Amino acid sequence: MRLLAPWPGWRSRQLSLDPKPLLLLFALLLATAACDSAPSNEERGFLYFGSGRYLGKLDLDDGSSTIAANAGDVNIVEVSAGRGNTLLLGVTAPGGYLEVDRILRVDVATGRRTSLYTGTKPRYLPGPNTVIYDDGHQLLTVGLRTDTPVVYAHNQNALTAVVVISPDEILFEVRDEDAIRIFRYNGRTEFRDELPQLANVCKLNTAVWIAAMQRLACEARDSANLLLVSVDGQSVERIPLPDGKRFRPLAFAAGQHALILAEDWQSWLAGRPRVAIWMYNLDNERGERLFRHREIGKSVVYSKL
């Protein structure tokens, strides 16, 4: 290797340097770089969502998306938590002239899928180890029993939402003529009761349950606000989010005590609807926009893995 000649008039002299200050400076630079590159929350985790036939997995740390499973010749409409490493998928599948609503179980570790029932809105209750789903006319429960108990019979496609609130219980919403009704059902005792006050204040179709607070995070029935509401509907508290923005709950990250929210907005340049992903910490009431735009649909499952 040829060395460059010293600059004219430059005199070479040997320097004697103490390596300790340089090593300390190097260590500080490494620590600063690590702090700058580290996520603001170490346990951000992942969102599983449906995109056509594919079950997607969004990394809430770096925003990357991967394919967790291929559900086959179907369109994924809804994703909910199942037993262990499985997810329950509500899908539409070709069926002659009409599409057929089906329920699949997918193992996210292996990608293996199993066809279960004809219906929609599957939910798993780990307490009684049962799956609850809707066949279009009845909300049914399937478990270890040989029969299939009817949770609630309703008009065709009148069931609009189902939310799991404990290992044993769900809330479900029904449009009954001009009225909207919300019920609570216990899969272990098979007890059902109506919650009229909750139906007056809370939209259940985008609601998320927060077990530590025993509250629903939901869109208000009569405004654009997000609320924290008790099951009986008696305790109602507005979540202080930025004005002028429209949010809806997606999931709850229990280990971070944070709501994962979708912000619906529209690009002024292209005029297209967009969805930004936020994380809102309920302890310090601070929100952080993670990604400006991600296509993840309206039904997701949060997981740390």
Side-chain angles (χ1 to χ4, degrees):
M1 180 176 66
R2 185 173 64 90
L3 298 178
L4 295 177
W7 195 265
W10 181 81
R11 294 176 58 189
S12 174
R13 61 191 180 95
Q14 187 175 3
L15 296 178
S16 177
L17 297 176
D18 183 357
K20 292 182 179 179
L22 290 177
L23 291 174
L24 178 61
L25 177 61
F26 183 65
L28 288 173
L29 288 174
L30 286 178
T32 302
C35 290
D36 289 342
S37 61
S40 60
N41 202 319
E42 294 180 357
E43 297 184 6
R44 276 186 176 161
F46 305 88
L47 291 182
Y48 287 91
F49 63 96
S51 179
R53 67 170 61 195
Y54 298 108
L55 179 66
K57 182 179 181 182
L58 172 66
D59 189 328
L60 293 177
D61 182 11
D62 60 20
S64 62
S65 293
T66 56
I67 295 175
N70 184 338
D73 189 18
V74 299
N75 181 56
I76 300 174
V77 177
E78 190 171 13
V79 184
S80 65
R83 181 179 181 179
N85 292 325
T86 67
L87 295 176
L88 299 176
L89 308 183
V91 305
T92 56
Y97 294 103
L98 299 175
E99 291 185 327
V100 178
D101 293 320
R102 296 287 301 167
I103 294 170
L104 308 180
R105 180 175 58 222
V106 173
D107 188 319
V108 296
T110 64
R112 181 183 178 184
R113 65 181 188 270
T114 306
S115 181
L116 298 180
Y117 321 111
T118 299
T120 64
K121 296 178 177 58
R123 299 293 185 272
Y124 175 66
L125 289 180
N129 192 25
T130 59
V131 173
I132 293 177
Y133 73 97
D134 186 58
D135 70 357
H137 296 277
Q138 300 175 112
L139 188 62
L140 305 168
T141 177
V142 181
L144 299 178
R145 293 170 50 169
T146 55
D147 60 341
T148 305
V150 176
V151 176
Y152 188 82
H154 56 79
N155 295 331
Q156 184 173 6
N157 299 326
L159 186 84
T160 56
V162 183
V163 177
V164 176
I165 63 169
S166 81
D168 297 331
E169 293 181 308
I170 60 167
L171 301 176
F172 64 93
E173 181 182 276
V174 179
R175 292 188 178 274
D176 188 2
E177 295 181 351
D178 295 331
I180 296 175
R181 307 172 69 185
I182 293 179
F183 297 87
R184 172 174 47 191
Y185 174 77
N186 188 301
R188 190 183 294 274
T189 66
E190 299 185 10
F191 175 76
R192 187 189 75 208
D193 61 335
E194 187 170 1
L195 304 167
Q197 187 62 32
L198 181 62
N200 288 337
V201 297
C202 187
K203 294 181 181 179
L204 203 61
N205 62 331
T206 57
V208 170
W209 179 247
I210 305 172
M213 302 177 69
Q214 291 293 291
R215 293 290 186 272
L216 282 169
C218 63
E219 294 181 90
R221 183 72 67 185
D222 57 359
S223 71
N225 294 327
L226 283 193
L227 307 174
L228 291 175
V229 186
S230 60
V231 170
D232 60 10
Q234 298 297 320
S235 174
V236 180
E237 179 184 352
R238 179 180 176 272
I239 300 175
L241 294 167
D243 294 331
K245 297 180 182 292
R246 181 113 192 175
F247 294 94
R248 50 186 167 85
L250 285 175
F252 182 67
Q256 300 158 80
H257 203 58
L259 279 169
I260 301 168
L261 306 173
E263 176 204 352
D264 296 310
W265 62 283
Q266 192 161 338
S267 168
W268 64 270
L269 183 61
R272 298 176 181 175
R274 295 285 188 266
V275 177
I277 308 299
W278 289 67
M279 182 169 276
Y280 180 83
N281 189 291
L282 291 169
D283 289 331
N284 57 27
E285 297 185 345
R286 296 183 62 181
E288 176 189 4
R289 189 178 69 183
L290 303 181
F291 316 114
R292 183 173 174 81
H293 178 56
R294 289 295 184 276
E295 294 283 356
I296 60 170
K298 294 184 178 181
S299 176
V300 304
V301 169
Y302 171 80
S303 175
K304 290 188 293 184
L305 303 175

